[in-house]
Amino acid sequence: MPALFVMTDSDRSYVGRFAPSPSGPLHFGSLVAALGSYLDARQRNGRWLVRIEDLDPPREKPGAADHILRTLEAFGFQWDGEVLYQSHRVEAYREALDSIRRQGLCYPCGCTRKEINSAAAVGIEGPRYPGTCRGGLPAGRNARAIRMRTDNSAICFHDRIYGRQHQRLEQESGDFIIRRADGPFAYQLAVVVDDAFQDVTQIVRGADLLGSTPRQLYLQHCLGYTAPGYAHLPLVVDETGRKLSKQSQDLPVDGSKPIPALLEAMRFLNQPLAEAHPATPAEFWQWSIAHWDIARIEKRPA
Ligand code: GLU
């Protein structure tokens, strides 16, 4: 593939989204992502959707999806339309995988994690797949995962906060999994299928996903989808520099006291605050939507 320069399209009317995985209660980092995507969408009179990314049953906590939705409501977020659940979308992922397969862009892989770890060079997300099964499954091996075949052409895009980005997929991410050995479709595939299905035009999310975006742009290209625009928000980390995790119940936000957490999220994104303390979430949103300024966000190392 020649270098892929992705021009994002700003003509379609704005559709944004927040796509939490229900692995635990909403934490301060996910509140920042929800707030950033919401303000950006609402300031541009856009739609704002919520999608529950419940693709990974072992990592999910019973009741977490409902808890997240109730917390969003308590913070005064108002989403458009019905919440989309990825667990209901398996047929769409299967069709996308079939299309990729028909184009010869993926292959079955029989390697175990242990084999990959011992053979692999290190890529941007740890051990990079060494390509063992690229030319066909070695004799006696069974297919476990399905991998996307990557190449070394540069994938370039403009992030509204982090600026120009580029990645050579083969060298930096390696051939990545689109269907996992234990069955579920991988996040990278599902997110792209659903963002296209929901006509999402602008993605505002945490900078932990900046390095995934080239894989997603590549999948969009292979599936014939229009690429959305991207803005990655600086990541909230704990004192040791680690990303907060819903699974380990880091810094959960308290829906019974929405205003302090909303103001803290605004401060974190270097946004202006109203002189008068807002009395209700509705008052907070009205002012903040009018004053949201993405250019004020300071990028920190992703
Ligand atoms: N489901 C992902 C998470 O909770 C976010 C996916 C995305 O925004 O693309 O971290």
Side-chain angles (χ1 to χ4, degrees), residues 113-129:
R113 191 180 296 240
K114 205 164 144 205
E115 285 165 335
I116 297 170
N117 288 350
S118 61
V122 177
I124 56 167
E125 279 172 9
R128 195 187 56 198
Y129 185 62

Side-chain angles (χ1 to χ4, degrees), residues 17 19-21 51 53 187 191 205 208-209 216 243 246:
R17 51 72 157 177
S21 313
R51 179 168 76 230
E53 302 211 318
Y187 157 70
V191 76
R205 62 184 178 189
D208 53 323
L209 293 166
Q216 295 174 17
K243 170 185 184 267
K246 289 195 208 86

Side-chain angles (χ1 to χ4, degrees), residues 18-125:
F18 175 55
S21 313
S23 49
L26 214 60
H27 56 57
F28 183 67
S30 25
L31 178 67
V32 166
L35 172 135
S37 61
Y38 190 68
L39 290 176
D40 202 59
R42 293 301 194 222
Q43 190 179 66
R44 290 157 71 169
N45 292 317
R47 286 165 56 75
W48 187 75
L49 313 176
V50 173
R51 179 168 76 230
I52 298 288
E53 302 211 318
D54 52 351
L55 264 185
D56 191 357
R59 287 188 55 219
E60 280 149 31
K61 293 246 164 34
D66 281 344
H67 188 270
I68 289 174
L69 296 174
R70 297 297 79 78
T71 309
L72 290 174
E73 276 172 352
F75 278 92
F77 288 96
Q78 293 180 345
W79 55 87
D80 293 299
E82 302 273 313
V83 172
L84 186 71
Y85 289 82
Q86 288 197 322
S87 53
H88 300 171
R89 298 270 303 144
V90 172
E91 206 39 53
Y93 309 144
R94 205 185 308 283
E95 279 169 26
L97 177 62
D98 282 347
S99 155
I100 289 169
R101 201 183 265 134
R102 280 195 303 273
Q103 299 176 66
L105 296 170
C106 64
Y107 60 89
C109 169
C111 299
T112 62
R113 191 180 296 240
K114 205 164 144 205
E115 285 165 335
I116 297 170
N117 288 350
S118 61
V122 177
I124 56 167
E125 279 172 9

